[in-house]
Amino acid sequence: MNAIKEAWGGLLKPVFVPASVVIIGMIAFSVIYASTAADAFDTLNGIIADGVGWWYILAATGFVLFALYCGLSRVGNIRLGRDDEKPEFGVLSWFAMLFSAGMGIGLVFYGVAEPLSHYVTPPEAGGIPGSTDAAARQAMELTLFHWGLHAWAIYVVVGLGMAYMTYRKGRPLTVRWLLEPLLGRKRIEGGIGHTIDAVAIVGTLFGVATSLGFGVQQISAGLEYLGWVETSNWFVVLLIAIITGIATFSVVTGVSKGLKWLSNINMAMAGALALFVLILGPTLFLMQSWVQNLGGYVQALPELALRTSPFADDGWAAGWTIFYWGWWMSWAPFVGMFIARISRGRTIREFVFGVLLAPTIVGSLWFTIFGDTGILRQRNDGDLLDAEGAVNNNTSLFQMLDGLPLATITSVIAIAVIVFFFVTSSDSGSLVVDILSTGGELETPKITRVYWAVLEGTAAAVLLLVGGTSSLTALQTMSIATAVPFSVVLVLACVSMLKAFRYDVATTPRYVRVTATPETETGTVPAGKGGESEAKRKRSSGISSTFSGLAPSREGLSTPRGGGTVVLAVHEVSNEQLEVHPETGAVEYSSDNAPVDPLGGEVFDTQEFADSAEGQKDSNPS
């Protein structure tokens, strides 16, 4: 009882209560009207696709432009932390964690199924017949489009905003503060802010529930494909209960280190599975395909970015592109918070291009290995479709692995990967939702994490059961429906962040190192004894300052005798080369982190060296 009181006291009730009511209400509605729920999901899916599909497509492309602007403009120089702050993680560790953020149940579920589906049944708007060479190329372009820059640009908006507002501006780690530059603190701490966080919770929970539903479908299908079980509704419920129980156990016992080890092992198994297919599959074909897929994606991106297919009536856009954009928006607080927490100390430019490119490259490799292997298998053997000539999303991965050696072992590994992703997604998703429901508290009560984990599992089970044969549509519909209000929040967040970034760029000083270089032709170097050493001393004297704080007179910078002038050599200084006094705030230049010459400053006694830029620098040190 005390634990419940303590947990209730730490919750932000204007966020927790409305979000819980909406989530439980949607689950209850699905159960009460289970007999007509499948038709209702189909109808709602059509309404959303026809009504706001264009908005999703326009917004997602706008997020890509927003991310590129932040990365390429002067905004990219802003550091996500103090001006002198160093990145918390090294580049390799940071990229590794971004890779892990890019991996998930969805990649395993759709690795073979999506490219194969686009190959067999391409979109009507593309005008390309199915099961042709052109369809194979388009299939990979569409798949990388759905899992590439657009997906990660959505995460950039939330992750960048959270990292900026928390690590540079000192706000709590919640979604609402992304809109503070636009709406002001009073509104953000009031009803509007509560609504924003509640919307983020609802979207995140159903986004995670969608992934859990996909995972359970594939786990049960894999076990049935191996002949180990016979799936039924009760088996699906039991499977969700077991895996949710494992996630709940990790929450209650606080085995965070164990969960991290589990996540690392899972990443290793997923990588080993991909490497296995690459090596024992058509290796040369896959490497050729990867290069072509990247080129095709870059070439097709401008046309695909704004394709709304107004003349097509095949429902392809609703089932794929619009669903994906809604799903990614639902996941944005989850993934965004993760990448924000690992990116402290990075510049916005590093953040943007790291988050956009690293997972996109990993995704392109994954889909090439599994997707092109599946397409090639279908072209050669024609045995990856069901009796009706359609792709079975749940079993296509296991069917593809069945054509390679050690099929049973690799199928078991694939199932284990999905289970581990299920556990880590449920546990991490519960933590993120709990942080939002407590107003940004990083240490949240275990009992509320258990509450969210159980609610996620319940939502996934209900959507699968009431959806029946249309369970996939039910999962997709819930994702894109809950993302509708959050898409508006994301667009407003872009406007809000740009407003804050413009002020930051205008007021943040640029640090330089200024070196005095006397002009010998005007007699600035004293003649006579010791003249050479004095010149060398003056040339090597340097100071660190901002433009606004540059002193008018310093040793080595005073006006030369005879009324000559002083030439100042200005060198850009990165934040890693700054030392800020913790008490006075004085900024000093430190050579400890100065750029290291990879050539070691070697000197050669040759004319070529003397005539080179390096030779000139060596003879005239500054």
Side-chain angles (χ1 to χ4, degrees):
M1 184 63 70
N2 290 333
I4 296 176
K5 290 181 179 179
E6 182 181 348
W8 179 252
L11 290 170
L12 195 59
K13 298 175 186 64
V15 174
F16 175 83
V17 173
S20 296
V21 169
V22 171
I23 293 167
I24 295 173
M26 295 174 75
I27 294 173
F29 176 83
S30 298
V31 172
I32 294 171
Y33 295 96
S35 58
T36 59
D39 293 335
F41 282 124
D42 284 330
T43 302
L44 181 59
N45 193 55
I47 292 173
I48 295 175
D50 295 337
V52 300
W54 63 272
W55 163 252
Y56 275 11
I57 290 171
L58 184 64
T61 298
F63 298 147
V64 175
L65 297 177
F66 167 81
L68 292 176
Y69 170 77
C70 291
L72 295 172
S73 68
R74 289 178 60 192
V75 169
N77 296 325
I78 299 174
R79 191 163 295 272
L80 300 174
R82 302 183 306 273
D83 283 339
D84 65 319
E85 194 160 358
K86 313 298 186 294
E88 187 175 357
F89 300 100
V91 174
L92 293 180
S93 299
W94 185 56
F95 272 120
M97 286 185 280
L98 288 177
F99 289 157
S100 68
M103 291 294 294
I105 292 174
L107 281 182
V108 183
F109 186 83
Y110 282 113
V112 176
E114 180 171 355
L116 191 58
S117 295
H118 300 333
Y119 169 68
V120 175
T121 312
E124 182 182 309
I128 295 176
S131 301
T132 61
D133 290 349
R137 289 193 296 271
Q138 180 184 249
M140 296 309 301
E141 292 167 2
L142 292 170
T143 302
L144 297 190
F145 171 58
H146 291 149
W147 293 81
L149 298 180
H150 277 68
W152 288 94
I154 294 171
Y155 298 148
V156 164
V157 173
V158 178
L160 177 59
M162 282 187 165
Y164 178 83
M165 293 303 293
T166 299
Y167 301 133
R168 189 163 183 86
K169 298 301 181 182
R171 272 49 171 184
L173 192 67
T174 60
V175 177
R176 68 172 69 196
W177 295 101
L178 273 63
L179 273 65
E180 184 193 0
L182 186 66
L183 301 179
R185 178 176 178 178
K186 184 176 181 180
R187 293 188 179 92
I188 289 302
E189 290 184 330
I192 294 177
H194 299 330
T195 302
I196 292 170
D197 279 350
V199 166
I201 288 174
V202 174
T204 301
L205 188 135
F206 281 107
V208 173
T210 298
S211 295
L212 302 186
F214 287 157
V216 168
Q217 280 184 313
Q218 198 166 32
I219 292 169
S220 58
L223 293 173
E224 185 172 27
Y225 187 80
L226 292 173
W228 293 357
V229 298
E230 186 174 341
T231 58
S232 64
N233 287 344
W234 286 111
F235 180 76
V236 169
V237 172
L238 179 63
L239 203 57
I240 292 177
I242 292 173
I243 301 177
T244 302
I246 297 173
T248 304
F249 175 78
S250 70
V251 168
V252 173
T253 56
V255 288
S256 57
K257 288 186 178 180
L259 193 63
K260 289 178 182 177
W261 277 105
L262 189 66
S263 181
N264 292 335
I265 293 171
N266 199 31
M267 287 295 300
M269 286 197 302
L273 185 63
L275 196 61
F276 174 85
V277 176
L278 174 63
I279 294 175
L280 295 185
T283 307
L284 181 58
F285 167 78
L286 293 177
M287 298 312 298
Q288 292 172 332
S289 297
W290 181 52
V291 176
Q292 177 175 285
N293 292 341
L294 288 175
Y297 168 55
V298 172
Q299 185 178 13
L301 186 59
E303 190 270 330
L304 293 175
L306 295 174
R307 179 191 283 184
T308 56
S309 308
F311 296 107
D313 56 3
D314 58 348
W316 186 92
W320 292 102
T321 305
I322 295 171
F323 155 65
Y324 272 127
W325 294 173
W327 194 17
W328 302 151
M329 289 179 197
S330 296
W331 268 71
F334 181 7
V335 180
M337 186 177 294
F338 172 76
I339 60 178
R341 292 181 69 178
I342 65 173
S343 301
R344 180 167 191 159
R346 301 249 162 228
T347 64
I348 288 180
R349 182 169 294 110
E350 291 172 331
F351 180 95
V352 167
F353 289 110
V355 173
L356 284 182
L357 297 181
T360 297
I361 292 173
V362 172
S364 69
L365 276 169
W366 180 274
F367 280 108
T368 295
I369 292 172
F370 289 92
D372 273 313
T373 299
I375 290 175
L376 184 64
R377 167 86 170 273
Q378 177 60 26
R379 283 171 59 89
N380 294 338
D381 301 334
D383 60 351
L384 291 186
L385 305 182
D386 59 21
E388 298 177 356
V391 177
N392 187 323
N393 294 323
N394 298 326
T395 61
S396 56
L397 171 63
F398 305 106
Q399 290 174 279
M400 187 274 291
L401 292 175
D402 201 22
L404 298 173
L406 306 174
T408 301
I409 295 175
T410 54
S411 294
V412 171
I413 291 175
I415 292 173
V417 168
I418 300 166
V419 171
F420 291 157
F421 275 137
F422 193 140
V423 173
T424 54
S425 295
S426 178
D427 185 88
S428 304
S430 302
L431 175 61
V432 168
V433 171
D434 213 20
I435 290 173
L436 293 174
S437 67
T438 55
E441 294 292 334
L442 298 182
E443 295 296 328
T444 60
K446 292 178 182 178
I447 190 170
T448 52
R449 287 196 218 176
V450 171
Y451 167 78
W452 294 117
V454 172
L455 207 54
E456 288 162 1
T458 303
V462 168
L463 291 175
L464 285 176
L465 295 179
V466 303
T469 57
S470 301
S471 57
L472 182 63
T473 302
L475 293 168
Q476 292 175 333
T477 302
M478 196 58 72
S479 281
I480 63 176
T482 53
V484 171
F486 194 63
S487 66
V488 178
V489 173
L490 291 178
V491 171
L492 293 177
C494 291
V495 177
S496 179
M497 286 296 99
L498 288 176
K499 186 176 181 181
F501 293 157
R502 282 197 297 269
Y503 173 80
D504 218 326
V505 167
T507 58
T508 300
R510 297 179 63 189
Y511 293 95
V512 297
R513 180 166 59 94
V514 181
T515 304
T517 305
E519 292 184 342
T520 55
E521 293 182 0
T522 58
T524 58
V525 180
K529 185 177 180 180
E532 183 178 351
S533 62
E534 177 68 12
K536 185 175 181 180
R537 183 189 69 77
K538 281 183 173 291
R539 282 197 298 268
S540 63
S541 63
I543 64 168
S544 297
S545 180
T546 63
F547 285 123
S548 61
L550 186 62
S553 178
R554 290 274 189 97
E555 182 183 357
L557 293 178
S558 57
T559 304
R561 297 175 184 175
T565 60
V566 172
V567 176
L568 299 179
V570 179
H571 305 272
E572 194 81 27
V573 174
S574 68
N575 288 39
E576 285 80 3
Q577 296 170 256
L578 300 178
E579 294 289 344
V580 179
H581 193 280
E583 296 180 0
T584 65
V587 181
E588 296 180 358
Y589 171 74
S590 172
S591 60
D592 293 342
N593 294 312
V596 178
D597 185 358
L599 301 177
E602 298 289 346
V603 176
F604 292 84
D605 188 18
T606 63
Q607 188 61 41
E608 290 85 356
F609 184 81
D611 293 339
S612 67
E614 184 71 17
Q616 291 292 316
K617 184 172 68 173
D618 184 70
S619 62
N620 296 292
S622 60

